[in-house]
Amino acid sequence: MKIQELFEAGNPNNPGRAILSFEVFPPKRDHPIESIYGQLSSLCALKPDFISVTYGAGGKGNDNRTAEIAARIKHNYGIESVAHLTCVSNTKEDVDRIADELRLNNIENILALRGDLPEGVDCAEDFAHASDLTAYLTELGGFDIAGACYPETHPESANEIDDILNLKKKVDAGASHLITQLFFDNETFYRYRDKLALAGIDVPIEAGIMPVINRAQIERMVTLCGASLPAPFARLMNRFGDDPEQMRDAGIAYAIQQIIDLLAAGVDGIHLYTMNNPYVATQITEAIRGLL
Ligand code: FAD
């Protein structure tokens, strides 16, 4: 099933309901692919609407694992899957080959991304931006295409307006829904959603939520994505950050609170960055299931 249809269909008993999706990443290359199967099985048992599988930042060579895991999610567990695909180190021929492989595996959904540019590189080879990859995949046909968006502005953008106008190009090129970068302050998301509506971006937007369960994780995330930390979150880190169990429980509770507020505000969907952690995903899904 194409994810676009999922958003259109909603739930027959509750047409306005929000979608719940998970994100997982393939094991490192020196770990066997089977090492993720136990976690996948537990995550799929939670029956999210779909699960997306990241594409290794290194680009080439990582695609097989993304397709293989996406196929397993769909065919072994009956959960719809989305394969991420970055264009930063893939040529048109590479994309053709990966698209063929996804088709062979009956994967109908792609999250089209540029990926982070390696140091010293200004621009990807055949596709400068995710919108170029989106346009190319739209032309190939047969896939539903999603795109990434940034409530706190993409770090390379000169300003928020440029970033939103660039996002419009991605949607015009064929992105049927958007998934946000993680954020910790819902007000930032609400303001962003209003601005996208003003810019004529009217596709569904899923809010990306990352439950933070340890101090090292948040330090990495803030460095990588530039997410800002609101005062309640900083207080929580200061108070519980040194106790792993307390930090885990507080991080889960914060994510649940964030999600409940987003659902109350009529968000189109919640995309949970699970970090392949079934315990955390279970706690959150069970807490919000009745509200979807
Ligand atoms: P783009 O949409 O190309 O945007 C990148 C920058 O270029 C922005 O500043 C934008 O404003 C600008 N821009 C875009 N289009 C134009 C244009 N036409 N003209 C001029 N400027 C333009 N990374 C991975 O390596 N693997 C993953 O699996 C992965 N999954 C992700 C999932 C989500 C939900 C998110 C939010 C991010 C993910 N990333 C992943 C990270 C992502 O690759 C990086 O954030 C990357 O820096 C930007 O990718 P993008 O697709 O948003 O790029």
Side-chain angles (χ1 to χ4, degrees):
M1 186 191 213
K2 298 207 164 59
I3 302 302
Q4 187 175 12
E5 294 165 35
L6 204 62
F7 278 105
E8 281 164 4
N11 175 336
N13 300 319
N14 181 7
R17 80 169 184 124
I19 296 294
L20 175 66
S21 58
F22 291 170
E23 180 170 309
V24 298
F25 53 82
K28 290 201 176 105
R29 291 212 72 72
D30 53 355
H31 288 59
I33 191 153
E34 295 78 18
S35 62
I36 195 185
Y37 288 176
Q39 293 152 327
L40 268 191
S41 157
S42 307
L43 290 168
C44 289
L46 297 170
K47 301 256 174 274
D49 292 293
F50 70 87
I51 298 184
S52 78
V53 187
T54 65
Y55 187 88
K60 281 195 174 103
N62 290 308
D63 43 301
N64 297 338
R65 288 194 153 190
T66 300
E68 203 174 325
I69 293 167
R72 189 175 178 88
I73 291 167
K74 180 160 179 170
H75 304 305
N76 290 38
Y77 301 106
I79 306 281
E80 200 46 68
S81 61
V82 174
H84 296 207
L85 174 58
T86 63
C87 58
V88 70
S89 48
N90 282 316
T91 59
K92 282 187 177 159
E93 290 70 37
D94 294 325
V95 170
D96 289 343
R97 177 180 48 76
I98 294 165
D100 283 345
E101 192 180 348
L102 293 174
R103 261 191 225 101
L104 275 175
N105 282 295
N106 220 358
I107 310 292
E108 298 173 78
N109 302 289
I110 297 178
L111 174 54
L113 299 144
R114 189 200 61 187
D116 284 322
L117 296 170
E119 213 153 306
V121 174
D122 288 337
C123 185
E125 226 173 293
D126 280 353
F127 307 98
H129 306 289
S131 52
D132 302 320
L133 176 63
T134 303
Y136 188 72
L137 291 169
T138 301
E139 212 178 293
L140 282 185
F143 293 105
D144 180 68
I145 306 152
C149 64
Y150 300 83
E152 297 189 74
T153 306
H154 187 271
E156 286 168 36
S157 280
N159 59 59
E160 189 182 22
I161 293 176
D162 276 4
D163 203 34
I164 292 175
L165 294 176
N166 289 331
L167 183 64
K168 177 82 167 67
K169 292 180 198 161
K170 188 154 42 180
V171 172
D172 290 344
S176 77
H177 94 274
L178 300 169
I179 304 179
T180 76
Q181 180 61 282
L182 62 94
F183 60 89
F184 298 105
D185 180 356
N186 288 356
E187 296 307 320
T188 309
F189 173 78
Y190 299 141
R191 283 192 294 273
Y192 182 64
R193 195 172 58 165
D194 289 346
K195 287 174 195 163
L196 296 196
L198 282 174
I201 295 174
D202 57 1
V203 296
I205 305 163
E206 277 194 281
I209 298 297
M210 161 93 60
V212 174
I213 55 166
N214 63 61
R215 194 189 281 277
Q217 183 193 357
I218 189 61
E219 279 158 7
R220 207 170 48 246
M221 286 307 141
V222 170
T223 315
L224 271 177
C225 353
S228 52
L229 298 181
F233 191 87
R235 272 197 294 278
L236 176 157
M237 288 283 303
N238 288 339
R239 177 72 178 86
F240 305 117
D242 292 330
D243 182 314
E245 267 188 36
Q246 285 188 338
M247 186 59 222
R248 182 198 64 195
D249 292 348
I252 290 171
Y254 190 91
I256 291 171
Q257 241 179 337
Q258 241 195 306
I259 295 171
I260 292 174
D261 181 59
L262 287 161
L263 293 173
V267 72
D268 297 313
I270 301 290
H271 186 71
L272 198 61
Y273 293 104
T274 69
M275 305 300 287
N276 297 0
N277 186 325
Y279 175 81
V280 173
T282 303
Q283 300 300 308
I284 294 175
T285 305
E286 283 177 357
I288 62 161
R289 173 80 70 203
L291 307 177
L292 290 169

